[in-house]
């Protein structure tokens, strides 16, 4: 947890004395015994005070993504019950009204509508790494309309969001051709996800590609280049961008129904969660996990497990 804003190396503290009480459960919420949680770049950004005007009061326990077991239900909860294994992104709107007590804790309280039952074939670390990233991928592609017969280019295809955009574009939205960029060492990984074209961004410039794409999903903040790789009349979706007329800035909304919709693709193995091979990191090494996330070298998601 942190008591002031700043870099995670300076302000993030491990609460060994367990001074924080179990969160109170509202009528529309469930209490989750957290088994695993995942880190997202937005966690570190929030910690610096970037969202201070709309953030919850300090001290704060960070964490958006969670996988765990329901141990208590509120009076208005209709579907979930004690003992259910669930996963989700606990903050409905990630840039405002964020919870003071996040998922990097033993317990967290979450609205039922933000959760879904964990796919039976996934471990808790695999499930915990999905929610914010897969919701971002799904909602970003959904706003581009039907993709059957269309081409998609993913910038940053080896990242937490990008690796899921590739899979959803092919297996959920039915794109006819999917290309993605990465560094030289991750091209084979892109091919393992099923891309039709793996592009080494250290050797090729997007603006020089002979092929243009119907949809460009920018997960790395290069929307100026993404626009140059787009077909006339196409779409650019960006998650790290300044608002411009040519680019749709994707701001995810946590939605358990999206996870429920995608569960069948996860259970069939058509869509696979990617947990970075350096993890999972144990709960006592959250600071080390944040340091690794900051390097931008992770393949897939950085996950914390087990959480005692």
């Amino acid at each position: 947890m942190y008591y002031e804003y700043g870099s995670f190396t300076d302000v993030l503290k491990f609460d060994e004395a367990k001074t924080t009480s179990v969160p109170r459960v509202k009528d529309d919420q469930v209490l989750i015994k957290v088994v695993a949680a995942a880190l997202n770049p937005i966690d570190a950004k929030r910690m610096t005070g970037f969202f201070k005007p709309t953030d919850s009061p300090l001290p704060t326990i960070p964490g958006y993504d969670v996988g765990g077991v329901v141990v208590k239900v509120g009076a208005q909860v209709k579907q979930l019950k004690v003992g259910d294994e669930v996963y989700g992104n606990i903050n409905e709107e990630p840039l405002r009204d964020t919870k003071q007590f996040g998922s990097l804790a033993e317990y967290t309280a979450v609205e039922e509508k933000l959760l879904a039952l964990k796919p039976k074939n996934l471990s808790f670390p695999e499930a915990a790494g999905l929610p914010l990233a897969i919701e971002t991928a799904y909602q970003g592609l959904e706003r581009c309309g039907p993709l059957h017969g269309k081409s998609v280019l993913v910038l940053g295809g080896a990242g937490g969001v990008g690796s899921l955009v590739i899979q959803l574009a092919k297996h959920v939205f039915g794109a006819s051709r999917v290309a993605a960029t990465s560094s030289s060492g991750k091209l084979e990984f892109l091919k393992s996800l099923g891309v039709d074209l793996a592009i080494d961004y250290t050797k090729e410039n997007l603006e020089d590609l002979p092929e243009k794409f119907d949809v460009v999903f920018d997960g790395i903040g290069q929307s100026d280049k993404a626009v140059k790789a787009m077909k006339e009349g196409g779409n650019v979706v960006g998650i790290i961008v300044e608002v411009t007329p040519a680019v749709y800035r994707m701001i995810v909304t946590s939605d358990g129904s999206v996870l429920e919709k995608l569960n069948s693709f996860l259970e069939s193995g058509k869509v696979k969660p990617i947990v970075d091979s350096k993890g999972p990191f144990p709960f006592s090494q959250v600071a080390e996990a944040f340091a690794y996330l900051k390097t931008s070298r992770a393949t897939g998601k950085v996950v914390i497990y087990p959480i005692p």
Side-chain angles (χ1 to χ4, degrees):
M1 65 192 307
Y2 50 96
Y3 293 83
E4 59 184 329
Y5 291 120
S7 167
F8 66 88
T9 55
D10 298 324
V11 302
L12 190 63
K13 310 295 181 187
F14 187 61
D15 185 18
E16 295 185 67
K18 298 186 178 181
T19 57
T20 307
S21 58
V22 174
R24 184 177 64 85
V25 179
K26 298 177 182 177
D27 286 348
D28 62 343
Q29 292 181 329
V30 301
L31 183 67
I32 297 175
K33 173 64 182 77
V34 181
V35 178
L39 304 189
N40 292 284
I42 196 171
D43 287 300
K45 203 166 189 178
R46 179 188 177 195
M47 207 178 303
T48 66
F50 194 83
F51 310 120
K52 184 177 179 179
T54 57
D55 204 355
S56 58
L58 296 169
T60 298
I61 295 174
Y64 285 69
D65 289 331
V66 68
V69 180
V70 175
V71 295
K72 186 177 181 180
V73 299
Q76 295 175 9
V77 170
K78 295 180 173 62
Q79 303 294 329
L80 296 177
K81 61 186 185 301
V82 171
D84 281 344
E85 297 181 348
V86 296
Y87 73 126
N89 165 10
I90 71 169
N91 291 307
E92 184 169 9
E93 296 185 54
L95 305 187
R96 64 186 186 93
D97 297 330
T98 43
K99 290 181 172 60
Q100 184 177 8
F101 303 111
S103 60
L104 288 168
E106 290 184 73
Y107 295 92
T108 191
V110 191
E111 289 78 10
E112 180 185 34
K113 67 180 180 179
L114 307 185
L115 300 169
L117 293 175
K118 179 180 73 66
K120 296 181 177 63
N121 60 318
L122 299 190
S123 66
F124 278 108
E126 288 173 326
L130 284 168
L132 191 150
I134 204 167
E135 288 168 343
T136 300
Y138 182 88
Q139 292 169 14
L141 290 171
E142 185 180 46
R143 65 94 45 204
C144 296
L147 296 182
H148 292 281
K150 293 188 176 181
S151 59
V152 176
L153 171 63
V154 185
L155 307 189
V161 173
S163 60
L164 289 164
V165 173
I166 290 168
Q167 297 182 76
L168 296 191
K170 286 191 76 75
H171 302 300
V172 178
F173 290 91
S176 62
R177 183 167 172 80
V178 177
T181 68
S182 76
S183 60
S184 306
K186 295 182 179 179
L187 295 177
E188 290 304 314
F189 170 70
L190 295 185
K191 293 174 185 177
S192 75
L193 295 178
V195 298
D196 301 291
L197 176 64
I199 301 167
D200 185 345
Y201 69 74
T202 68
K203 297 178 180 178
E204 298 188 65
N205 294 319
L206 291 179
E207 49 266 47
D208 297 332
L209 291 176
E211 181 179 356
K212 302 299 180 184
F213 298 86
D214 296 297
V215 173
V216 183
F217 199 115
D218 172 26
I220 54 176
Q222 293 187 351
S223 294
D224 55 335
K225 295 181 179 180
V227 171
K228 295 175 182 177
M230 177 188 72
K231 284 182 181 178
E232 186 175 349
N235 292 281
V236 174
V237 177
I239 60 175
I240 314 170
V241 296
E242 296 296 327
V243 178
T244 67
V247 180
Y248 173 76
R249 185 188 182 199
M250 176 62 211
I251 300 177
V252 67
T253 299
S254 178
D255 185 351
S257 69
V258 169
L259 301 179
E260 290 172 359
K261 190 180 299 184
L262 295 173
N263 272 358
S264 63
F265 294 93
L266 292 161
E267 290 179 338
S268 70
K270 289 181 178 179
V271 176
K272 297 178 174 64
I274 309 296
V275 176
D276 185 85
S277 61
K278 286 193 180 296
F281 289 79
F283 193 41
S284 59
Q285 293 182 9
V286 169
E288 289 87 341
F290 269 111
Y292 179 57
L293 180 70
K294 189 178 180 180
T295 67
S296 299
R297 293 176 183 163
T299 299
K301 292 304 296 286
V302 176
V303 174
I304 307 300
Y305 170 84
I307 294 180

